[in-house]
Amino acid sequence: MSAQNPIPAGDPALVGPPDPEHDPRASYALEPEYVAALTARLTATSGTTAEVRSPLNDAPLAHIPQSTTQDVATAFSRARQAQVAWARTPVDVRAAMLLRLHDIVLDRQEEITDLVIWENGKARKHAFDEPLHVALTARYYGRTAGRHLGTRRVPGVFPVLTRAEINRVPKGVVGIISPWNYPFDLALIDGLAAIVAGNAVVTKPDAQTMLSALLAAELLEEAGLPRDLWQVVAGPGPEIGGAIIERADYVCFTGSTATGRAVAKACADRLIGSSLELGGKNPLLVLRDADLEKAAEGAVRASFSSSGQLCVSIERMFVADQVYDRFVERFVARTQAMTLGATLEWGNDMGTLVSQAQLDTVVAHVEDAVAKGARVLTGGNHRPDLGPYYFEPTILEGVTPDMTCFGKETFGPVVSLYRFHDEADAVSRANGGEYGLNASIYSQDGDRARFIARHIKCGTVNINEAFAATFASLDTPMGGMRESGTGRRQGAEGVLRFTETQSVATQRVLPLGPQYGMSDELYAKVMTLNLRLLKKLGRA
């Protein structure tokens, strides 16, 4: 996916050579000038680059300049200086910038979508979800920032005498470490909430998808964000990510549970906050009264959107005995009817995996399951004719606890089917393991489905929908329970995490203590009478 290349400062590899036929470092897929304009936004002085190739066809995309730990320090210094003025900028001015970004993202959606596909390999309809979700997020916080962040009056200890209010003060500089699976969306959505709250951002996107994240930075500047307020660095996670955690006032991380634990420990050592969206082994329940056509359609999207490389993808399906055979017939048929391909064009139902490492994991999980007795109902094959890392959408039956894919996240286009007879048993099995990110329930009885949802240990539960209902409802917080993470993005929680709570109280006329000449004993009696009176008046 990437390789370190020592390149002297000023070498044309940093901007892309003009003749791809004669220079192996050339960008065959993207214009060198386009790449150069994006990578110029990096704070990177190491003189080395990392090559990035496309999962569509293994074509070179770019040579990304690499940052040093000193570059990270420089990025934080610039961000801190810019943040002082930004924190004093009225919230409505910050919000207006997000509303401009909303329009810019929609205007340039074709460019964004193309770049996401080149770097990630997903189908175009799934790549389109990224500018769509960013626009939704920008509009949401652009419209609601004042409500979430404005000073709030609350009752003081005594009516009239005590005025109390709560301020939301920005943390300072937020560090964001974003993944490759939603490279434009996840590079932006946490940061949008951070900057509207008055913070600066230093971000380290994944090495495979730097260009999408750099395009995001360009669009922010076009929308009016001061350039120094959003810093981008590049480099190995353990080195550059660690340097970010050492300097940030708050950290957002999206990635594996193992790395999330390390991030949480490092943040705890510094007594700073963090929000972590981590792994998942997400369940889908098809109840006996489900509309099977809708359930089968949703199951395809739930399992194979972005080739299963979506944090909220479904990897386990629990289907009621009464409808199991009819559901499986429909689900398999819809899966087999999918249009497969790794191209920039519309029309593909599923794109490719992103890397050899992801392909190796998927192949290993399927081969292990089959060797131990699982049945492949459809799929199960690597398809190099479609792309170097392409793997067919795969449905497994008969998966047992001794198989790797039973409890370990695959993060690919593989789903396992299980029968259930008793709904309580289905809920118990859905809650098995240590993850708790997303779940889905299909039933025509909405009340019953919502009741069951309360017993599912997942941060989001979608009813009669795969994942998009919660994902696109920006007032609903998103995040995981248990080993799927801590903290929430979206909604009020998604922006308030980037603030400190400051309480301010003003006392009028009488002090909260004995007045001049009043004994302590008399003060205690007066206060006791006042407390009893306030209780009778219904005060909290």
Side-chain angles (χ1 to χ4, degrees), residues 102 106 131-142 471-474:
H102 171 277
L106 293 181
L132 173 65
H133 192 245
V134 168
L136 284 169
T137 303
R139 191 185 72 209
Y140 173 78
Y141 284 120
F471 194 67
S473 298
L474 271 294

Side-chain angles (χ1 to χ4, degrees), residues 503-519:
S503 299
V504 178
T506 304
Q507 189 63 23
R508 302 184 178 103
V509 184
L510 298 176
L512 286 176
Q515 299 179 53
Y516 182 76
M518 179 183 288
S519 70

Side-chain angles (χ1 to χ4, degrees), residues 352-411:
T352 178
L353 293 168
V354 74
S355 68
Q356 185 65 48
Q358 291 303 119
L359 176 63
D360 290 345
T361 296
V362 171
V363 169
H365 281 206
V366 172
E367 288 183 348
D368 171 78
V370 171
K372 294 174 180 175
R375 298 173 296 282
V376 177
L377 300 186
T378 189
N381 299 305
H382 174 210
R383 291 288 302 276
D385 56 309
L386 298 176
Y389 315 124
Y390 205 102
F391 196 88
E392 293 175 332
T394 300
I395 303 172
L396 299 177
E397 193 178 51
V399 171
T400 55
D402 61 322
M403 301 174 188
T404 305
C405 69
F406 180 84
K408 189 172 181 179
E409 184 179 32
T410 304
F411 215 61

Side-chain angles (χ1 to χ4, degrees), residues 14-363:
L14 291 175
V15 297
D19 185 1
E21 292 186 3
H22 298 95
D23 190 332
R25 296 172 302 185
S27 173
Y28 289 81
L30 300 171
E31 290 294 331
E33 295 79 12
Y34 182 73
V35 172
L38 293 177
T39 57
R41 295 183 170 276
L42 282 165
T43 303
T45 63
S46 69
T48 62
T49 66
E51 184 187 51
V52 178
R53 307 179 77 89
S54 176
L56 292 183
N57 53 12
D58 201 36
L61 291 177
H63 290 81
I64 305 296
Q66 299 294 283
S67 304
T68 65
T69 55
Q70 182 55 49
D71 290 326
V72 176
T74 299
F76 270 91
S77 177
R78 292 172 179 166
R80 287 199 185 283
Q81 291 181 32
Q83 190 269 334
V84 174
W86 185 247
R88 297 193 182 107
T89 302
V91 172
D92 59 344
V93 175
R94 300 181 217 148
M97 185 276 297
L98 293 190
L99 294 177
R100 290 192 296 272
L101 179 68
H102 171 277
D103 294 342
I104 291 168
V105 167
L106 293 181
D107 290 343
R108 295 179 64 176
Q109 62 180 276
E110 294 295 321
E111 175 189 357
I112 297 165
T113 302
D114 282 349
L115 194 53
V116 167
I117 297 169
W118 277 120
E119 290 194 303
N120 174 275
K122 64 179 67 178
R124 192 170 194 86
K125 65 179 179 181
H126 302 142
F128 168 72
D129 288 343
E130 302 208 31
L132 173 65
H133 192 245
V134 168
L136 284 169
T137 303
R139 191 185 72 209
Y140 173 78
Y141 284 120
R143 296 293 190 206
T144 64
R147 165 160 56 95
H148 296 318
L149 299 169
T151 296
R152 182 165 60 95
R153 287 282 296 273
V154 295
V157 59
F158 289 118
V160 181
L161 299 181
T162 310
R163 169 178 172 155
E165 54 198 18
I166 299 171
N167 296 327
R168 290 291 178 173
V169 180
K171 293 275 189 182
V173 182
V174 174
I176 297 177
I177 303 172
S178 61
W180 49 260
N181 63 324
Y182 272 70
F184 182 77
D185 189 33
L186 293 178
L188 269 179
I189 57 173
D190 291 315
L192 295 185
I195 58 177
V196 82
N199 300 281
V201 167
V202 176
T203 178
K204 191 203 85 66
D206 187 85
Q208 172 63 24
T209 52
M210 288 294 307
L211 299 179
S212 295
L214 290 167
L215 177 58
E218 177 185 303
L219 301 188
L220 281 169
E221 186 176 351
E222 184 178 336
L225 187 73
R227 183 165 184 167
D228 282 352
L229 206 67
W230 188 281
Q231 298 284 321
V232 187
V233 293
E239 179 182 342
I240 303 303
I244 288 175
I245 296 170
E246 289 172 5
R247 293 168 175 82
D249 301 306
Y250 188 92
V251 173
C252 286
F253 171 78
T254 304
S256 71
T257 296
T259 304
R261 282 198 185 95
V263 171
K265 289 177 182 176
C267 290
D269 285 342
R270 294 195 55 233
L271 295 179
I272 63 170
S274 64
S275 51
L276 314 168
E277 186 187 288
L278 309 177
K281 194 70 179 175
N282 305 309
L284 182 149
L285 279 63
V286 180
L287 306 188
R288 62 181 178 273
D289 66 340
D291 181 318
L292 297 186
E293 289 296 339
K294 289 182 179 179
E297 183 277 331
V300 169
R301 285 189 293 108
S303 306
F304 307 128
S305 291
S306 293
S307 304
Q309 298 170 127
L310 172 59
C311 299
V312 292
S313 289
I314 296 298
E315 296 196 7
R316 301 178 295 152
M317 290 190 190
F318 300 93
V319 185
D321 270 335
Q322 296 91 332
V323 297
Y324 183 89
D325 292 335
R326 286 178 287 149
F327 169 78
V328 170
E329 179 183 8
R330 288 166 172 78
F331 181 35
V332 170
R334 283 182 175 269
T335 301
Q336 291 174 340
M338 291 173 65
T339 301
L340 308 182
T343 72
L344 291 171
E345 307 306 320
W346 294 101
N348 294 325
D349 292 318
M350 194 184 86
T352 178
L353 293 168
V354 74
S355 68
Q356 185 65 48
Q358 291 303 119
L359 176 63
D360 290 345
T361 296
V362 171
V363 169

